[in-house]
Amino acid sequence: MTQKPNQLSALEALARISGGSLTSEALTEACLDRITEREETVGAWKFIDPDMARAAARQAGKLSADHPLRGIPVAVKDLFDTADMPTGYGSPIYEGNRPASDASSVALTRTAGGVIMGKTVTTEFAYFQPGKTANPHNPKHTPGGSSSGSAAAVADFMVPLAFGSQTVGSTIRPASYCGVVGYKPSFRLIDRTGVRPLADTFDTVGLFARDVADVAHFAAVLSKRPALRLNGEDDSQPVFGLCHTPAWPHAEEDTRAALETAARLAADAGAKVVNISLPKVFDQLDEAQGIVVDYQAALSAAYELAFHRDRVSKSYAVRADAGAAYTPEQFDQALAVIAAAQAALDAAMEGVDVLLCPSATGEAPEGLDATGNPVFNRLGTALRGPCLNIPGLTGRTGLPVGVQLIGRMNDDHRTLAAGSWLQKVLRR
């Protein structure tokens, strides 16, 4: 069966555009056709203007080949400012809000030739109150959050690339539930200017694609670090540290089976897999990360909570109230726990390239009134290094179940290379 343009990976599409066998306009039109076909079921989009997308594609088609995203459609989470599209941050308070400028990452995408397709659904202020998006594999199930629309849009072949963000598990968890690659880079690898804050200690721009090499390429463009691209060096076998993490009691049967399967297939393909036990300080990391996020979430929404509280969701208000009740001493103690775990990571990872961990508790839960438990994402986010969801496995009902790679801070290339290698193994 011939692959439709919207089913191509970003790098495959770029190669065809450069080779002249595909145009940006044809690729964008294929994505728009898919959106028309499926949006009523999936609900990935908060704003889309097909004519605006077509105009951007025409302009991209006139660019030279040295534009690294030339003609590639990109979805933008509605947490990121866009000068030519409304940005609502998932809140009725900001319905129709028109920022004066693009977020820096959006501007860099445009200057690299990317086609901004529209804005995807986010949970309110990137926390836990869900939007309208359904899981494209089974619309009775959550797509995860907070980057729900972006993960669903990539999974459903509406776009090859999308922006997300992660403060707790907002990239890795929806990537696992939707069966796509989700990449949370090292903290501050990608500039956050113009992205609505939730908790400044952890907020990180995240990326979605269907192939690890695609997010590596995208991140290389946005961070101006061309060395992040994968150029075949991902063929060497990594050393994986199989790590259940202190959250293991929360793992359901599907996650336990997926992690065991990924470790076995990696070993069968020639990788070294060793068991890793984390020091005791990591036992306190989940609680500490939660304290910091709630404390800062109360601060980042100070205006909305003070002057528009009747339009803030109950779920956000409850978490913000809990955060506001923490004392500065409790906040500082949580930061101290996090710093101690960060300092202990190198010794814990001695001899391994990446940790191999669960991405989520299991398959996407049924229902759209919650986005799932982020307990397996707090550790990687707290450590502030790269986290990567690798798709390819499924649970008992056939829904996706990902596995997560966690790398050392600023060791993104090694993490991406290990992820690309593992993705190829799981595909086989």
Side-chain angles (χ1 to χ4, degrees):
M1 185 182 294
T2 304
Q3 220 175 11
K4 295 179 180 178
N6 61 297
Q7 295 174 317
L8 298 170
S9 73
L11 289 177
E12 288 169 341
L14 277 170
R16 294 195 188 187
I17 289 171
S18 296
S21 62
L22 179 66
T23 66
S24 173
E25 291 175 77
L27 175 57
T28 299
E29 204 61 47
C31 290
L32 288 170
D33 287 346
R34 180 65 176 177
I35 293 167
T36 299
E37 176 190 353
R38 291 278 294 166
E39 174 61 7
E40 187 176 344
T41 298
V42 179
W45 298 88
K46 177 64 177 175
F47 174 88
I48 189 160
D49 183 331
D51 289 337
M52 186 184 293
R54 292 182 182 109
R58 282 194 297 273
Q59 286 300 116
K62 299 173 185 176
L63 297 173
S64 59
D66 60 355
H67 290 76
L69 295 174
R70 182 174 62 144
I72 299 301
V74 179
V76 177
K77 182 178 181 177
D78 196 31
L79 201 70
F80 291 64
D81 286 347
T82 41
D84 57 352
M85 302 175 187
T87 302
Y89 315 122
S91 167
I93 298 168
Y94 293 97
E95 192 69 37
N97 171 51
R98 291 276 182 163
S101 61
D102 285 338
S104 58
S105 51
V106 175
L108 288 165
T109 300
R110 293 191 205 267
T111 56
V115 175
I116 303 301
M117 290 289 284
K119 308 298 287 291
T120 50
V121 172
T122 176
T123 64
E124 177 197 35
F125 304 135
Y127 220 14
F128 291 127
Q129 183 66 26
K132 65 178 180 177
T133 310
N135 193 304
H137 298 278
N138 185 333
K140 293 181 179 179
H141 291 247
T142 180
S146 63
S147 309
S148 42
S150 287
V154 171
D156 207 52
F157 302 100
M158 295 174 173
V159 284
L161 294 175
F163 279 106
S165 65
Q166 181 155 310
T167 306
V168 181
S170 294
T171 295
I172 299 301
R173 187 169 81 266
S176 179
Y177 288 168
C178 293
V180 295
V181 172
Y183 171 41
K184 184 207 77 70
S186 287
F187 184 65
R188 288 189 176 147
L189 181 77
I190 299 172
D191 186 79
R192 299 178 299 171
T193 303
V195 183
R196 163 85 189 197
L198 175 61
D200 184 68
T201 298
F202 303 118
D203 291 345
T204 305
V205 172
L207 307 175
F208 294 96
R210 293 184 294 274
D211 193 281
V212 174
D214 285 359
V215 292
H217 179 79
F218 197 13
V221 173
L222 298 171
S223 65
K224 298 193 172 183
R225 293 177 181 269
L228 286 175
R229 291 187 177 92
L230 301 176
N231 300 305
E233 68 272 39
D234 51 307
D235 291 334
S236 59
Q237 291 95 342
V239 181
F240 293 101
L242 179 61
C243 183
H244 291 157
T245 82
W248 188 244
H250 295 277
E252 299 165 11
E253 180 182 330
D254 291 323
T255 281
R256 292 170 183 255
L259 194 65
E260 179 184 333
T261 298
R264 175 174 52 80
L265 292 175
D268 290 347
K272 186 176 180 182
V273 180
V274 298
N275 290 308
I276 295 289
S277 295
L278 296 174
K280 290 290 289 181
V281 66
F282 285 83
D283 294 348
Q284 307 169 56
L285 199 55
D286 287 0
E287 181 183 7
Q289 206 267 347
I291 289 171
V292 171
V293 172
D294 286 348
Y295 187 95
Q296 293 185 322
L299 297 174
S300 65
Y303 166 75
E304 294 84 2
L305 290 165
F307 299 106
H308 296 280
R309 193 177 181 96
D310 60 325
R311 303 178 77 189
V312 175
S313 72
K314 182 179 179 181
S315 64
Y316 194 100
V318 166
R319 299 304 295 248
D321 287 347
Y326 289 122
T327 65
E329 292 75 20
Q330 288 173 303
F331 176 70
D332 290 344
Q333 178 56 37
L335 289 176
V337 168
I338 291 162
Q342 290 169 348
L345 183 64
D346 275 350
M349 288 184 66
E350 185 176 0
V352 306
D353 294 316
V354 289
L355 298 179
L356 174 61
C357 313
S359 287
T361 56
E363 291 182 330
E366 189 170 0
L368 303 182
D369 56 349
T371 60
N373 187 344
V375 65
F376 280 109
N377 311 124
R378 291 191 182 276
L379 182 144
T381 304
L383 295 172
R384 304 211 288 189
C387 302
L388 193 60
N389 178 71
I390 307 300
L393 301 171
T394 55
R396 286 164 293 174
T397 74
L399 288 174
V401 179
V403 293
Q404 179 178 196
L405 301 184
I406 298 175
R408 299 169 179 84
M409 180 74 169
N410 298 323
D411 200 14
D412 290 65
H413 183 271
R414 190 197 317 229
T415 305
L416 290 162
S420 182
W421 184 91
L422 182 59
Q423 185 177 26
K424 291 172 183 174
V425 168
L426 297 188
R427 279 175 173 164
R428 290 201 296 266

PDB file of all heavy atoms in Angstrom, residues 49-67:
ATOM      1  N   ASP A  49      -6.731  27.088  10.985  1.00  0.00           N
ATOM      2  CA  ASP A  49      -7.227  27.854   9.846  1.00  0.00           C
ATOM      3  C   ASP A  49      -6.582  27.251   8.597  1.00  0.00           C
ATOM      4  O   ASP A  49      -5.410  27.525   8.309  1.00  0.00           O
ATOM      5  CB  ASP A  49      -6.851  29.331  10.001  1.00  0.00           C
ATOM      6  CG  ASP A  49      -7.397  30.200   8.867  1.00  0.00           C
ATOM      7  OD1 ASP A  49      -7.566  29.684   7.742  1.00  0.00           O
ATOM      8  OD2 ASP A  49      -7.631  31.395   9.092  1.00  0.00           O
ATOM      9  N   PRO A  50      -7.309  26.409   7.862  1.00  0.00           N
ATOM     10  CA  PRO A  50      -6.706  25.722   6.710  1.00  0.00           C
ATOM     11  C   PRO A  50      -6.095  26.671   5.690  1.00  0.00           C
ATOM     12  O   PRO A  50      -5.019  26.385   5.144  1.00  0.00           O
ATOM     13  CB  PRO A  50      -7.880  24.932   6.122  1.00  0.00           C
ATOM     14  CG  PRO A  50      -8.787  24.696   7.286  1.00  0.00           C
ATOM     15  CD  PRO A  50      -8.683  25.934   8.108  1.00  0.00           C
ATOM     16  N   ASP A  51      -6.736  27.793   5.449  1.00  0.00           N
ATOM     17  CA  ASP A  51      -6.191  28.730   4.464  1.00  0.00           C
ATOM     18  C   ASP A  51      -4.870  29.334   4.940  1.00  0.00           C
ATOM     19  O   ASP A  51      -3.952  29.554   4.138  1.00  0.00           O
ATOM     20  CB  ASP A  51      -7.204  29.840   4.167  1.00  0.00           C
ATOM     21  CG  ASP A  51      -8.405  29.335   3.371  1.00  0.00           C
ATOM     22  OD1 ASP A  51      -8.273  28.292   2.692  1.00  0.00           O
ATOM     23  OD2 ASP A  51      -9.481  29.971   3.436  1.00  0.00           O
ATOM     24  N   MET A  52      -4.772  29.598   6.223  1.00  0.00           N
ATOM     25  CA  MET A  52      -3.516  30.104   6.775  1.00  0.00           C
ATOM     26  C   MET A  52      -2.404  29.059   6.638  1.00  0.00           C
ATOM     27  O   MET A  52      -1.262  29.385   6.279  1.00  0.00           O
ATOM     28  CB  MET A  52      -3.710  30.478   8.249  1.00  0.00           C
ATOM     29  CG  MET A  52      -2.516  31.152   8.886  1.00  0.00           C
ATOM     30  SD  MET A  52      -2.762  31.471  10.661  1.00  0.00           S
ATOM     31  CE  MET A  52      -4.080  32.692  10.606  1.00  0.00           C
ATOM     32  N   ALA A  53      -2.748  27.794   6.892  1.00  0.00           N
ATOM     33  CA  ALA A  53      -1.770  26.716   6.750  1.00  0.00           C
ATOM     34  C   ALA A  53      -1.329  26.576   5.290  1.00  0.00           C
ATOM     35  O   ALA A  53      -0.134  26.401   5.002  1.00  0.00           O
ATOM     36  CB  ALA A  53      -2.353  25.409   7.261  1.00  0.00           C
ATOM     37  N   ARG A  54      -2.278  26.666   4.375  1.00  0.00           N
ATOM     38  CA  ARG A  54      -1.931  26.565   2.949  1.00  0.00           C
ATOM     39  C   ARG A  54      -1.018  27.711   2.517  1.00  0.00           C
ATOM     40  O   ARG A  54      -0.068  27.513   1.751  1.00  0.00           O
ATOM     41  CB  ARG A  54      -3.208  26.549   2.106  1.00  0.00           C
ATOM     42  CG  ARG A  54      -4.052  25.292   2.284  1.00  0.00           C
ATOM     43  CD  ARG A  54      -5.274  25.310   1.376  1.00  0.00           C
ATOM     44  NE  ARG A  54      -6.101  24.135   1.595  1.00  0.00           N
ATOM     45  CZ  ARG A  54      -7.291  24.141   2.190  1.00  0.00           C
ATOM     46  NH1 ARG A  54      -7.818  25.292   2.610  1.00  0.00           N
ATOM     47  NH2 ARG A  54      -7.970  23.018   2.358  1.00  0.00           N
ATOM     48  N   ALA A  55      -1.297  28.903   3.007  1.00  0.00           N
ATOM     49  CA  ALA A  55      -0.459  30.054   2.663  1.00  0.00           C
ATOM     50  C   ALA A  55       0.963  29.876   3.203  1.00  0.00           C
ATOM     51  O   ALA A  55       1.949  30.193   2.509  1.00  0.00           O
ATOM     52  CB  ALA A  55      -1.074  31.342   3.214  1.00  0.00           C
ATOM     53  N   ALA A  56       1.071  29.363   4.421  1.00  0.00           N
ATOM     54  CA  ALA A  56       2.397  29.105   4.999  1.00  0.00           C
ATOM     55  C   ALA A  56       3.137  28.045   4.204  1.00  0.00           C
ATOM     56  O   ALA A  56       4.358  28.132   4.008  1.00  0.00           O
ATOM     57  CB  ALA A  56       2.252  28.679   6.461  1.00  0.00           C
ATOM     58  N   ALA A  57       2.411  27.034   3.734  1.00  0.00           N
ATOM     59  CA  ALA A  57       3.041  25.980   2.929  1.00  0.00           C
ATOM     60  C   ALA A  57       3.541  26.533   1.594  1.00  0.00           C
ATOM     61  O   ALA A  57       4.619  26.158   1.114  1.00  0.00           O
ATOM     62  CB  ALA A  57       2.050  24.845   2.696  1.00  0.00           C
ATOM     63  N   ARG A  58       2.758  27.435   0.990  1.00  0.00           N
ATOM     64  CA  ARG A  58       3.209  28.040  -0.268  1.00  0.00           C
ATOM     65  C   ARG A  58       4.499  28.840  -0.060  1.00  0.00           C
ATOM     66  O   ARG A  58       5.419  28.774  -0.874  1.00  0.00           O
ATOM     67  CB  ARG A  58       2.112  28.957  -0.829  1.00  0.00           C
ATOM     68  CG  ARG A  58       0.987  28.218  -1.518  1.00  0.00           C
ATOM     69  CD  ARG A  58       0.127  29.163  -2.345  1.00  0.00           C
ATOM     70  NE  ARG A  58      -0.544  30.177  -1.519  1.00  0.00           N
ATOM     71  CZ  ARG A  58      -1.721  29.991  -0.924  1.00  0.00           C
ATOM     72  NH1 ARG A  58      -2.355  28.832  -1.046  1.00  0.00           N
ATOM     73  NH2 ARG A  58      -2.265  30.964  -0.219  1.00  0.00           N
ATOM     74  N   GLN A  59       4.547  29.572   1.032  1.00  0.00           N
ATOM     75  CA  GLN A  59       5.756  30.337   1.329  1.00  0.00           C
ATOM     76  C   GLN A  59       6.939  29.414   1.590  1.00  0.00           C
ATOM     77  O   GLN A  59       8.056  29.676   1.130  1.00  0.00           O
ATOM     78  CB  GLN A  59       5.522  31.231   2.558  1.00  0.00           C
ATOM     79  CG  GLN A  59       4.645  32.433   2.283  1.00  0.00           C
ATOM     80  CD  GLN A  59       5.244  33.350   1.221  1.00  0.00           C
ATOM     81  OE1 GLN A  59       4.676  33.525   0.138  1.00  0.00           O
ATOM     82  NE2 GLN A  59       6.403  33.913   1.513  1.00  0.00           N
ATOM     83  N   ALA A  60       6.695  28.328   2.326  1.00  0.00           N
ATOM     84  CA  ALA A  60       7.776  27.380   2.616  1.00  0.00           C
ATOM     85  C   ALA A  60       8.313  26.753   1.332  1.00  0.00           C
ATOM     86  O   ALA A  60       9.513  26.473   1.224  1.00  0.00           O
ATOM     87  CB  ALA A  60       7.275  26.291   3.565  1.00  0.00           C
ATOM     88  N   GLY A  61       7.430  26.543   0.363  1.00  0.00           N
ATOM     89  CA  GLY A  61       7.858  25.947  -0.904  1.00  0.00           C
ATOM     90  C   GLY A  61       8.823  26.815  -1.675  1.00  0.00           C
ATOM     91  O   GLY A  61       9.553  26.317  -2.554  1.00  0.00           O
ATOM     92  N   LYS A  62       8.874  28.111  -1.366  1.00  0.00           N
ATOM     93  CA  LYS A  62       9.777  29.035  -2.068  1.00  0.00           C
ATOM     94  C   LYS A  62      11.153  29.113  -1.401  1.00  0.00           C
ATOM     95  O   LYS A  62      12.058  29.759  -1.936  1.00  0.00           O
ATOM     96  CB  LYS A  62       9.160  30.434  -2.090  1.00  0.00           C
ATOM     97  CG  LYS A  62       7.820  30.510  -2.807  1.00  0.00           C
ATOM     98  CD  LYS A  62       7.192  31.894  -2.650  1.00  0.00           C
ATOM     99  CE  LYS A  62       5.805  31.953  -3.264  1.00  0.00           C
ATOM    100  NZ  LYS A  62       5.153  33.283  -3.038  1.00  0.00           N
ATOM    101  N   LEU A  63      11.304  28.471  -0.223  1.00  0.00           N
ATOM    102  CA  LEU A  63      12.548  28.573   0.524  1.00  0.00           C
ATOM    103  C   LEU A  63      13.618  27.657  -0.047  1.00  0.00           C
ATOM    104  O   LEU A  63      13.324  26.644  -0.692  1.00  0.00           O
ATOM    105  CB  LEU A  63      12.304  28.219   1.996  1.00  0.00           C
ATOM    106  CG  LEU A  63      11.350  29.138   2.765  1.00  0.00           C
ATOM    107  CD1 LEU A  63      11.079  28.569   4.156  1.00  0.00           C
ATOM    108  CD2 LEU A  63      11.923  30.546   2.872  1.00  0.00           C
ATOM    109  N   SER A  64      14.849  27.996   0.238  1.00  0.00           N
ATOM    110  CA  SER A  64      15.968  27.166  -0.218  1.00  0.00           C
ATOM    111  C   SER A  64      16.108  25.929   0.662  1.00  0.00           C
ATOM    112  O   SER A  64      15.555  25.860   1.769  1.00  0.00           O
ATOM    113  CB  SER A  64      17.263  27.975  -0.180  1.00  0.00           C
ATOM    114  OG  SER A  64      17.513  28.427   1.142  1.00  0.00           O
ATOM    115  N   ALA A  65      16.890  24.987   0.191  1.00  0.00           N
ATOM    116  CA  ALA A  65      17.036  23.704   0.886  1.00  0.00           C
ATOM    117  C   ALA A  65      17.806  23.821   2.191  1.00  0.00           C
ATOM    118  O   ALA A  65      17.839  22.857   2.969  1.00  0.00           O
ATOM    119  CB  ALA A  65      17.724  22.699  -0.029  1.00  0.00           C
ATOM    120  N   ASP A  66      18.423  24.983   2.461  1.00  0.00           N
ATOM    121  CA  ASP A  66      19.173  25.111   3.708  1.00  0.00           C
ATOM    122  C   ASP A  66      18.282  25.497   4.892  1.00  0.00           C
ATOM    123  O   ASP A  66      18.776  25.783   5.978  1.00  0.00           O
ATOM    124  CB  ASP A  66      20.317  26.113   3.561  1.00  0.00           C
ATOM    125  CG  ASP A  66      19.845  27.515   3.191  1.00  0.00           C
ATOM    126  OD1 ASP A  66      18.629  27.685   2.958  1.00  0.00           O
ATOM    127  OD2 ASP A  66      20.694  28.420   3.129  1.00  0.00           O
ATOM    128  N   HIS A  67      16.968  25.482   4.677  1.00  0.00           N
ATOM    129  CA  HIS A  67      16.024  25.661   5.786  1.00  0.00           C
ATOM    130  C   HIS A  67      15.664  24.273   6.332  1.00  0.00           C
ATOM    131  O   HIS A  67      14.991  23.496   5.663  1.00  0.00           O
ATOM    132  CB  HIS A  67      14.768  26.396   5.314  1.00  0.00           C
ATOM    133  CG  HIS A  67      15.014  27.832   4.991  1.00  0.00           C
ATOM    134  ND1 HIS A  67      15.646  28.233   3.830  1.00  0.00           N
ATOM    135  CD2 HIS A  67      14.729  28.967   5.684  1.00  0.00           C
ATOM    136  CE1 HIS A  67      15.727  29.556   3.820  1.00  0.00           C
ATOM    137  NE2 HIS A  67      15.181  30.023   4.928  1.00  0.00           N
TER     138      HIS A  67
END
